[in-house]
Each structure stands twice: as structure tokens, then as C-alpha cells.
């Protein structure tokens, strides 16, 4: 099973990896150097505060949330062997938002701050487990999408129910936050809450590299190669729940990053699911940081939300994917 | 309503500035009741300078780059248990509250044109008096 894909690879792996790391670091620096009025360091009495409490959490959350969504998408697509496996499509994100909302409105998040990302994690895990139970690895694309739609709709309905029942007049504003995520005006409080959980989840998902490579040869071969299928599923569910749960709990739902990134990279890594994980981790960060930069340069003043931008870019891509896989979808 | 005395309009660009900061980073600009209240109390609404319409968002960095002479918070940070109010708990707003003048005037005071608006204007006018010592010239 060693390197059977290497011949079809277009770019040598070390080169691709180096390019992705360089682009990630460049975009991180650009993000720190961009303010609401354009490019440059802040020119104000409070410039230190702006750098540490406004721009740094925004840039680092962009990095970590993008990486989380990218690797979660690559893991779900690899494990489910399904091109439409994505945290937003399979309901993981909607579940995470529900978990975070419950944590906030029961008052748990106010008394135990860590309850916020843990609530997101629990919601994401519940949604992912439900979809895997409904569709599984053999359910086919159509079953997976239908299961994802059902779980997403249920989670979104319960989120709006929770907000309706809560005693605050800002339910509509909050619903917008959860449905259309944003990095604007997040603070180091949210960064420190979610970062450890996101990083731990990314580490779990990176450990899926070998099992996913083996699984791409079929379950029997994978078992013969010593892959523990139950452990693989546990890693997948825990890893996606931690990455997507942590990310969504502090930024809301940012759709389609996990869908687009693995698809663009797959030919570049020679269709190797294991390498795709590392590449998607970096490219997810690149895509989210770039989208957030574009947002600030094209629509200054925070008029456009990040989740709206990725949805506008991602929807045509999703439709194209549906069209290109239609032969498999229609029985 | 006799308490709401109309002030002369001249020299408005030398008036001290104020900015309303609400849950979700929202603010009120020209054409809103809150904007009229600021004017009546003798403040120039910074939202006008920032090019914000009747209602809009003000980003934290824009607020920190050019803080108003008076920051008018429309809610207490802990008043509402919602992510929408995270902006009021942001370290930058806490810093602004410590280093600059700020007051809290509940948003329901000027959500609708009720007699409560008069109370809001009175509180703003009191804050305006306190600023007399040295309003920042724009």
C-alpha cells in the first residue's frame, strides 16, 4: 500500500507542502496587517490594543477555524468515501451551533466558560453520529445528503426554538450569527476557549491518515493491513466534533470550506486521502484567511458576513458537484 | 416635553462627539430617534462621520481608532445572555470604558418615541455638562 498514488501526483509532495505552509503564513501576516480601513498598521493611541485584542484573535481564529473546517471536510469525505461529506452538509455544523446555543441559554456557558466549546462539541458529535448511523459508509451519496438535510433541519429548528424560548430580545440577531458565521469583533476570550479543542481535534484527525489510506483500498484490505475500523470511526467522530464544535461555538457556521478545499486539492495530492488531510488543514486556513481579507478589502465596515461570502462562493461549487455526480445520484 | 429644549444649530462640528454602541455592534445614525436625542443633548453623532446610515454596524477597530468623546452603551454587558452581546463584553470596550467617558443608556429609552426619551436626553445633557471641561476638538 506504500505510495501507489505517487505516479499520478502532479506536484511533488514536499513542494506542495512548502507552498501551502508559505501561503498560510503570508495570509496570516496579511490578516494582521489589514484593518477596516484597508492595509497597514493601526494609527491610533490604542494601536497596541487593536493589534492584540482585535486583529490577533481575528487572524488566529481565521487560521484555526479554517484549518478545522478543511481537515474535517477531508476526513468526512475520506471516511464516508463520498464527495459531499462536509461538516455543513452532513449536519455537524448545525449540531455544533445547537450545542453552543443550549450551553449559552441554559446559563452553563456563563458559569463554566468551557461549557461553550464543549456544548458545540457535544452537538457536533451527536449530529455526526446520527448521520453515520442513518447513512453509514455504504449508504451512498443520496442517503448521506438526505440524512444530512434531516439532521441539519432538526438542529436548526431546535436552535431557533431555544432562541425563541430564551428571554432576550436579540434572538433574531443571534440566529444570524449562528447561521452565517463571522470572525468580526471576536476576542481573545473566544480564541483561548476554542483553540485547545480545535488543535486537539486536528491532531486526532491527522492520525486518520494511515487508516484512511488503507480504507481507500476497501474495508477487507484495510482490516488485513491491521486497521481497526471501530477505532477509526471513533477517531473520526471525536476529531470532527472537536474541530467543528470548537470552531462553530465561537464563530458560527461558516459553510463550504470543508467541501471546496479537499476537492481542489485531491488531484494535487494524487488522490491520497492521508496526504489530503494535511493539505486540507493548511488550505482550509488559507481559504478562510483569504475570504476574511477579501471581505475587509471589498466590503469594509462589516456589512457583509464571512459565512455569507463563503456560501456565495460555495453554492455554485456545490451545485456543480451535484451535477457532476448526478449519474451516481440517479438510480 | 418642555424639558427638551432645542439648541441652536451653529458650530455643530465643534460639538463633542458621541457614539451609541448596542448589542451586536450596532449603532444609530442620522434619521434615528437616538441621533436626534444626541443632537438635543449637544452631541455630534460620530456615526455621521463614519458614514453610517440610520442603522448600521460599527467595527471595534474603527471605534478604537477614533473613540468618541462620549461612548453611549445601550446595554449592560451582563444584561443579556446571548452571543449577540459578546461585543459589549469585549476587552476593547472594557478598556474604552476605563479610559474614556462612557455612560449606559438602556436602548429601550429611545427605541420608540415615548416620554422615556426625555430621561435619556437629560442623562446625555448631564454627561455633556461634565465634558465641558475639555471636549476634544475634532
Amino acid at each position: 500500500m506504500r505510495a501507489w498514488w505517487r505516479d499520478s501526483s502532479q506536484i511533488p509532495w514536499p513542494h506542495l507542502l512548502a507552498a501551502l505552509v508559505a501561503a498560510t503564513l503570508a495570509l496570516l501576516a496579511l490578516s494582521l496587517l489589514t484593518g477596516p480601513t484597508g492595509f497597514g498598521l493601526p494609527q491610533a493611541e490604542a494601536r497596541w490594543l487593536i493589534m492584540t485584542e482585535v486583529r490577533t484573535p481575528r487572524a488566529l481564529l481565521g487560521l484555526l477555524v479554517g484549518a478545522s473546517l478543511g481537515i474535517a471536510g477531508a476526513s468526512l469525505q475520506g471516511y464516508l468515501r463520498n464527495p459531499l461529506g462536509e461538516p455543513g452538509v452532513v449536519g455537524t455544523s448545525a449540531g455544533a451551533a445547537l450545542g453552543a446555543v443550549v450551553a449559552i441559554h441554559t446559563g452553563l456557558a456563563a458559569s463554566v466558560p468551557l461549557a461553550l466549546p464543549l456544548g458545540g462539541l457535544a452537538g457536533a458529535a451527536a449530529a455526526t453520529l446520527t448521520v453515520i448511523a442513518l447513512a453509514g459508509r455504504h449508504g451512498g451519496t443520496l442517503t448521506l445528503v438526505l440524512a444530512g438535510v434531516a439532521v441539519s433541519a432538526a438542529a436548526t429548528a431546535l436552535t431557533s426554538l431555544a432562541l425563541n424560548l430564551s428571554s432576550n430580545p436579540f434572538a433574531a440577531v443571534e440566529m444570524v450569527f449562528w447561521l452565517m458565521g463571522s470572525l468580526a469583533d471576536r476576542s481573545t476570550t473566544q480564541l483561548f476557549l476554542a483553540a485547545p479543542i480545535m488543535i486537539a481535534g486536528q491532531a486526532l484527525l491527522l492520525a486518520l491518515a494511515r487508516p484512511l489510506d488503507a480504507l481507500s483500498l476497501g474495508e477487507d484490505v484495510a482490516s488485513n493491513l491491521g486497521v481497526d475500523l471501530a477505532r477509526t470511526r471513533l477517531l473520526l467522530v471525536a476529531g470532527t466534533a472537536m474541530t467543528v464544535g470548537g470552531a462553530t461555538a465561537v464563530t458560527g457556521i461558516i459553510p463550504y470550506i470543508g467541501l471546496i478545499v479537499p476537492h481542489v486539492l485531491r488531484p494535487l495530492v494524487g488522490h491520497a486521502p492521508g496526504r489530503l488531510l494535511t493539505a486540507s488543514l493548511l488550505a482550509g486556513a488559507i481559504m478562510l484567511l483569504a475570504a476574511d481579507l477579501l471581505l475587509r478589502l471589498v466590503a469594509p465596515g462589516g456589512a457583509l458576513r464571512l459565512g455569507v461570502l463563503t456560501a456565495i462562493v460555495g453554492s455554485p461549487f456545490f451545485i456543480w458537484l451535484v451535477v457532476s455526480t448526478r449519474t451516481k445520484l440517479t438510480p | 416635553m418642555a424639558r427638551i429644549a432645542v439648541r441652536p444649530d451653529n458650530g455643530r462640528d465643534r460639538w463633542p462627539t458621541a457614539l451609541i454602541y448596542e448589542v451586536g455592534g450596532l449603532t444609530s445614525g442620522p434619521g434615528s430617534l437616538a441621533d436626534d436625542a444626541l443632537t438635543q443633548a449637544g452631541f455630534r453623532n460620530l456615526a455621521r462621520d463614519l458614514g453610517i446610515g440610520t442603522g448600521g454596524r460599527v467595527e471595534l477597530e474603527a471605534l478604537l481608532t477614533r473613540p468618541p468623546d462620549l461612548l453611549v452603551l445601550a446595554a449592560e454587558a451582563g444584561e443579556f445572555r446571548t452571543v449577540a452581546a459578546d461585543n459589549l463584553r469585549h476587552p476593547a470596550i472594557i478598556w474604552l470604558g476605563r479610559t474614556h467617558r462612557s455612560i449606559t443608556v438602556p436602548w429601550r429609552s429611545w427605541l420608540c418615541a415615548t416620554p422615556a426619551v426625555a430621561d435619556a436626553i437629560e442623562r446625555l445633557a448631564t454627561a455633556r455638562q461634565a465634558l465641558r471641561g475639555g471636549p476634544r476638538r475634532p
Side-chain angles (χ1 to χ4, degrees), chain A:
Chain A
M1 82 151 255
R2 178 161 290 273
W4 51 270
W5 54 78
R6 194 164 285 162
D7 300 334
S8 59
S9 181
Q10 311 245 310
I11 303 171
W13 174 237
H15 294 193
L16 180 66
L17 204 57
L20 288 173
V21 169
T24 307
L25 294 177
L27 280 163
L28 187 67
L30 271 176
S31 179
L32 285 171
L33 287 173
T34 305
T37 50
F39 193 69
L41 286 168
Q43 302 295 323
E45 181 198 350
R47 63 177 76 86
W48 179 244
L49 192 76
I50 290 174
M51 285 311 288
T52 54
E53 289 291 349
V54 180
R55 290 192 185 184
T56 301
R58 183 170 194 153
L60 288 182
L61 275 175
L63 177 87
L64 289 171
V65 170
S68 292
L69 296 173
I71 195 172
S75 308
L76 284 167
Q77 288 174 23
Y79 178 79
L80 298 165
R81 285 187 296 186
N82 197 315
L84 301 184
E86 198 260 345
V89 175
V90 305
T92 312
S93 303
L98 173 62
V101 165
V102 169
I104 290 169
H105 292 278
T106 52
L108 266 177
S111 47
V112 189
L114 211 57
L116 175 68
L118 290 179
L121 188 160
T128 313
L129 280 173
T130 311
V131 167
I132 289 180
L134 286 173
R137 278 176 44 79
H138 306 289
T141 302
L142 194 57
T143 321
L144 177 76
V145 172
L146 285 178
V149 167
V151 169
S152 277
T156 307
L158 288 173
T159 302
S160 63
L161 176 69
L163 292 180
N164 277 334
L165 294 177
S166 77
S167 58
N168 85 71
F170 304 104
V173 181
E174 180 161 358
M175 198 65 201
V176 169
F177 174 87
W178 293 113
L179 290 179
M180 292 171 276
S182 168
L183 296 175
D185 296 350
R186 303 279 76 200
S187 70
T188 43
T189 315
Q190 283 111 22
L191 174 69
F192 292 148
L193 272 182
I197 288 177
M198 285 193 278
I199 292 169
Q202 290 163 9
L204 287 188
L205 292 179
L206 282 173
L208 277 174
R210 219 184 78 79
L212 285 189
D213 279 342
L215 273 173
S216 69
L217 304 170
E219 261 174 34
D220 293 342
V221 181
S223 292
N224 288 337
L225 286 167
V227 171
D228 183 343
L229 293 177
R231 183 176 165 274
T232 304
R233 188 172 59 237
L234 184 69
L235 268 182
L236 175 92
V237 172
T240 46
M242 288 165 88
T243 49
V244 180
T248 308
V250 293
T251 62
I253 296 176
I254 299 171
Y256 293 130
I257 302 272
L259 186 75
I260 298 173
V261 162
H263 277 279
V264 172
L265 290 170
R266 195 164 282 123
L268 298 178
V269 299
H271 299 270
R275 284 182 176 175
L276 187 60
L277 293 178
T278 314
S280 298
L281 179 85
L282 293 164
I286 291 171
M287 187 178 162
L288 196 65
L289 286 169
D292 190 44
L293 267 177
L294 187 73
L295 199 70
R296 278 181 280 175
L297 296 175
V298 173
L304 187 63
R305 292 184 72 90
L306 184 60
V308 178
L309 180 73
T310 63
I312 288 170
V313 175
S315 301
F317 186 85
F318 187 59
I319 291 166
W320 171 78
L321 261 182
V322 170
V323 171
S324 69
T325 56
R326 193 159 47 182
T327 43
K328 293 176 204 162
L329 285 171
T330 45

Side-chain angles (χ1 to χ4, degrees), chain B residues 20-40:
Chain B
I20 296 160
Y21 196 63
E22 298 165 19
V23 168
L26 299 173
T27 190
S28 299
S32 63
L33 184 62
D35 179 73
D36 287 342
L38 287 181
T39 309
Q40 292 299 329

